[in-house]
Amino acid sequence: MRSCASKIQVWKVFASFALGLNLFACAPGFEGTYSDPKAAEIVDDKWSETDAHKVAGSLINQVLTKPWLTQFEAVRKQKPIVVVDEIANRTDEHIDTKALTEAMTDELINAGKVRFVNAEKRKQILDEIKYQNSGTTEAKTKKSLGKQIGADFMLSGAISSSVHTQEGLKTVTYQTALTLTDLETAEIVWSGKEEVKKRFNRSSKGW
């Protein structure tokens, strides 16, 4: 009886092993490659990272080449200080507007024509300064309250979209509109728009 039971147990182990090998052999293969992060790619009919960088580059170039900048520098004799508000999403799809805001921030800073205030981190910065002034930090290294610089202008805006479909054709137009506002007077000193139009074809008629 023991010999028979042992044979049955060995057979069960062998069968389980064989089944595992069979499942492994039938599993779908996986293959991945690196691609150029700067290359323009269209993988679906949604807003993409490529769109964000294209729009950010164009709009920031617009805002930095308009009269408000030279007019400010002529009067104040210094570069204007700008704060960027997060772009609002007015489309029907989920869009990472934070990525678009960050792309615009990068373009502004790297252009070297304005000074930039990090509004997003103000609370964390204030908490750190309060900690440094709580008596726990060496006096000569602590930073003082009341020395943060105030912004001169706020850059804000929104992204919207329109979709048109006909049989196997679909077009999606994204429009990003920005305004630059003087924080002291609430005057809009510049406004601009940039559109991205994408065209898609598919063999079936439904989307």
Side-chain angles (χ1 to χ4, degrees), residues 49-201:
E49 184 179 357
T50 299
D51 299 330
H53 286 286
K54 173 181 172 62
V55 167
S58 176
L59 283 172
I60 297 307
N61 180 65
Q62 288 182 45
V63 71
L64 293 179
T65 55
K66 297 305 179 183
W68 72 273
L69 182 57
T70 53
Q71 290 170 359
F72 180 90
E73 290 176 331
V75 174
R76 301 287 188 89
K77 308 301 181 183
Q78 62 182 8
K79 295 178 182 179
I81 302 167
V82 178
V83 61
V84 178
D85 191 20
E86 187 169 344
I87 306 302
N89 180 12
R90 296 177 182 168
T91 72
D92 293 329
E93 66 180 85
H94 171 73
I95 291 179
D96 183 6
T97 56
K98 188 176 181 64
L100 177 57
T101 305
E102 290 173 347
M104 290 183 179
T105 299
D106 290 343
E107 294 287 340
L108 270 178
I109 294 174
N110 295 329
K113 294 184 178 181
V114 301
R115 299 168 68 191
F116 184 80
V117 172
N118 192 346
E120 184 181 1
K121 295 297 181 182
R122 276 175 175 159
K123 184 179 184 307
Q124 292 92 323
I125 293 171
L126 180 59
D127 289 343
E128 172 62 21
I129 293 177
K130 286 180 178 179
Y131 169 77
Q132 292 184 14
N133 285 272
S134 65
T136 58
T137 304
E138 188 178 6
K140 65 180 181 180
T141 64
K142 69 180 181 181
K143 306 302 178 290
S144 303
L145 286 167
K147 291 190 176 181
Q148 291 189 30
I149 57 176
D152 300 302
F153 300 94
M154 175 177 285
L155 187 66
S156 57
I159 179 171
S160 58
S161 67
S162 59
V163 180
H164 300 280
T165 59
Q166 183 177 2
E167 297 183 343
L169 174 66
K170 179 178 183 179
T171 60
V172 183
T173 303
Y174 295 97
Q175 179 178 271
T176 304
L178 295 184
T179 58
L180 186 70
T181 305
D182 186 315
L183 288 176
E184 190 168 56
T185 64
E187 177 187 7
I188 296 176
V189 298
W190 171 85
S191 66
K193 297 179 177 65
E194 179 69 14
E195 288 188 348
V196 172
K197 187 171 185 177
K198 304 168 81 171
R199 180 186 177 97
F200 306 93
N201 290 284

